[in-house]
Amino acid sequence: MEGLVLLNALITRLLFVLHSLVGVWRVTVVTKEPRYWLLLLLNLLLFLETALTLKFKRGRGYKWFSPAIFLYLISIVPSLWLLETHHETQNCISQSEGMSQNTSSKQDFNQTLISSEQSHGRGDLIEMARVFVNKLSTTCEKSWTLGLHQTFLLMLIIGRWLLPIGGTITRDQLSELLLMFVGTAADILEFTSETLGEKNVRNNPTLVCAILFTWTWSMLQFPLDLAVQQVACPASVTARGFRSLFFCQYSADLWNIGISVFIQDGPFLVLRLILMTYFKVINQMLVFFAVKNFLVVVLHLYRLVVLVMDVRASLQSQPEVPRGGHSSPAEPVVSGVSPEAWESGSKEGLAIPLRASPVTSDDSYATP
């Protein structure tokens, strides 16, 4: 079992490094700048984290946070930024040219495959691999960038699934977290493809950077496990008041609400409203997803109000217990009996005198 944990930890981080390598390769191909190979140095942080995790945690995860996913974000996000902001990003060629080019590439690939099957030589395998890479290189850059976005989100979900879980998160919580990641990834992919696909947006570098910044900000929720981890509240937290009970009892719900309002749906809504009102970029899908983001934010705020009312109702339904469990010396003496009399009366059967209630004028009888 320990060997399987270590294997999963190594395989997941290896996949992260390979995907980061593909991203850096595409940047060097598009920009024609070999210096961007230096972006691979960011993977040294992931190698260091791998060594420390294997040594001190035996491959297990950490509490509330995944450093491997966070360092994977650091290694791949700069490449996607460079691909999206490059001014010479080529458009897809026309359909006829694309069909003819794909047909010729397919014929070359098939001829190389047949020759390699006949000779079974190592040089033929290298030639076949070269033709395959050339075929991939003929794919338009827009499709490459979209494919990197898609595989990036898939790697986040699959990688979080394969990473060994720590001691503070159960498999049930992990499955819930993965389901949340699937829905979140779909929204993020739609946000980038729908907003960056507009020509008016592409012609405005400041707006492109704003969209990419919002996209990067939304990615910070993936290394966090706070939205599914419940905190065990001690019995004494009720006596501390509303705030302590509220944050302890609904910590996971509050993190979920905060992530949606401040990291994903809230910023997405603000940016879509700016596109529609200030930049006059209006289409059917943009309006639909803006309404969707608005409804999600409103529903989360409504849930927050419901949680507040629930905690207040639970506090009001509980009997009021004096702090410390006994009466303080400053409390007034009941019925004129001192505490010494109470103690002696409980032991010796002392009769506690009743205080006479004052007689009002309405209750008094007339003297004959």
Side-chain angles (χ1 to χ4, degrees):
M1 185 63 182
E2 190 72 20
L4 182 60
V5 171
L6 296 176
L7 183 62
N8 287 337
L10 289 175
I11 290 177
T12 304
R13 289 166 173 83
L14 180 60
L15 291 176
F16 289 164
V17 173
L18 290 178
H19 191 260
S20 175
L21 176 62
V22 174
V24 175
W25 170 63
R26 290 311 304 169
V27 172
T28 57
V29 169
V30 172
T31 60
K32 304 296 190 298
E33 291 286 344
R35 60 179 179 176
Y36 285 116
W37 284 111
L38 295 175
L39 290 173
L40 290 177
L41 295 178
L42 295 174
N43 290 309
L44 294 178
L45 298 175
L46 188 58
F47 290 144
L48 179 61
E49 185 272 338
T50 303
L52 295 176
T53 302
L54 295 179
K55 181 178 180 180
F56 296 103
K57 300 287 291 184
R58 299 297 180 183
R60 296 287 180 180
Y62 293 83
K63 183 179 181 180
W64 297 337
F65 185 74
S66 177
I69 293 182
F70 179 72
L71 295 177
Y72 171 55
L73 294 178
I74 293 178
S75 63
I76 188 62
V77 167
S79 299
L80 293 175
W81 266 74
L82 291 172
L83 289 175
E84 292 289 358
T85 56
H86 193 255
H87 62 281
E88 293 182 358
T89 300
Q90 60 181 357
N91 295 323
C92 290
I93 55 180
S94 61
Q95 184 176 3
S96 59
E97 296 177 354
M99 292 178 62
S100 60
Q101 189 172 8
N102 290 334
T103 302
S104 61
S105 299
K106 185 176 180 181
Q107 291 176 355
D108 295 338
F109 180 78
N110 291 334
Q111 291 177 0
T112 306
L113 182 60
I114 293 173
S115 61
S116 64
E117 289 178 353
Q118 293 175 354
S119 59
H120 298 284
R122 181 177 299 178
D124 294 329
L125 292 177
I126 296 176
E127 182 67 19
M128 183 178 64
R130 187 185 64 81
V131 173
F132 179 73
V133 171
N134 291 334
K135 183 180 179 181
L136 290 178
S137 301
T138 57
T139 306
C140 65
E141 189 55 40
K142 184 178 180 181
S143 300
W144 261 108
T145 305
L146 179 59
L148 284 175
H149 276 283
Q150 294 171 344
T151 52
F152 172 45
L153 294 171
L154 291 177
M155 288 294 297
L156 287 174
I157 299 172
I158 297 175
R160 191 63 188 89
W161 190 8
L162 293 178
L163 282 175
I165 60 178
T168 59
I169 183 172
T170 62
R171 296 188 181 276
D172 180 46
Q173 292 173 342
L174 179 60
S175 62
E176 182 181 356
L177 183 66
L178 293 174
L179 289 174
M180 292 172 56
F181 280 177
V182 171
T184 300
D187 291 341
I188 293 175
L189 180 62
E190 191 282 328
F191 171 75
T192 54
S193 60
E194 173 243 338
T195 53
L196 294 175
E198 294 289 334
K199 293 183 179 180
N200 296 334
V201 175
R202 279 292 180 184
N203 296 330
N204 192 335
T206 303
L207 190 55
V208 172
C209 291
I211 294 173
L212 291 177
F213 177 80
T214 307
W215 167 76
T216 306
W217 174 252
S218 66
M219 288 296 171
L220 296 179
Q221 60 185 303
F222 286 97
L224 301 176
D225 301 337
L226 298 169
V228 295
Q229 295 197 26
Q230 298 288 344
V231 179
C233 298
S236 60
V237 74
T238 306
R240 301 176 187 174
F242 166 78
R243 182 177 299 178
S244 299
L245 180 61
F246 180 64
F247 285 102
C248 182
Q249 187 174 357
Y250 296 109
S251 59
D253 297 277
L254 292 177
W255 275 111
N256 194 9
I257 293 173
I259 287 174
S260 176
V261 174
F262 297 106
I263 295 184
Q264 183 173 341
D265 290 286
F268 286 4
L269 174 62
V270 172
L271 192 56
R272 283 185 169 115
L273 290 178
I274 292 175
L275 287 175
M276 290 188 295
T277 57
Y278 185 78
F279 292 97
K280 307 301 181 183
V281 179
I282 300 176
N283 56 58
Q284 184 177 2
M285 297 302 296
L286 187 63
V287 173
F288 171 78
F289 282 102
V291 174
K292 177 256 181 186
N293 293 138
F294 175 75
L295 290 177
V296 171
V297 171
V298 170
L299 289 175
H300 276 297
L301 296 178
Y302 171 73
R303 176 165 174 76
L304 180 62
V305 174
V306 171
L307 295 180
V308 170
M309 295 176 62
D310 182 58
V311 173
R312 290 191 180 277
S314 63
L315 288 176
Q316 293 175 0
S317 63
Q318 294 178 357
E320 296 182 359
V321 180
R323 296 190 178 184
H326 59 274
S327 301
S328 61
E331 292 179 359
V333 180
V334 181
S335 303
V337 182
S338 62
E340 292 79 4
W342 277 101
E343 296 178 359
S344 60
S346 61
K347 296 179 180 179
E348 304 175 4
L350 176 65
I352 301 175
L354 299 176
R355 177 179 294 177
S357 58
V359 181
T360 60
S361 58
D362 296 334
D363 298 333
S364 61
Y365 295 93
T367 305

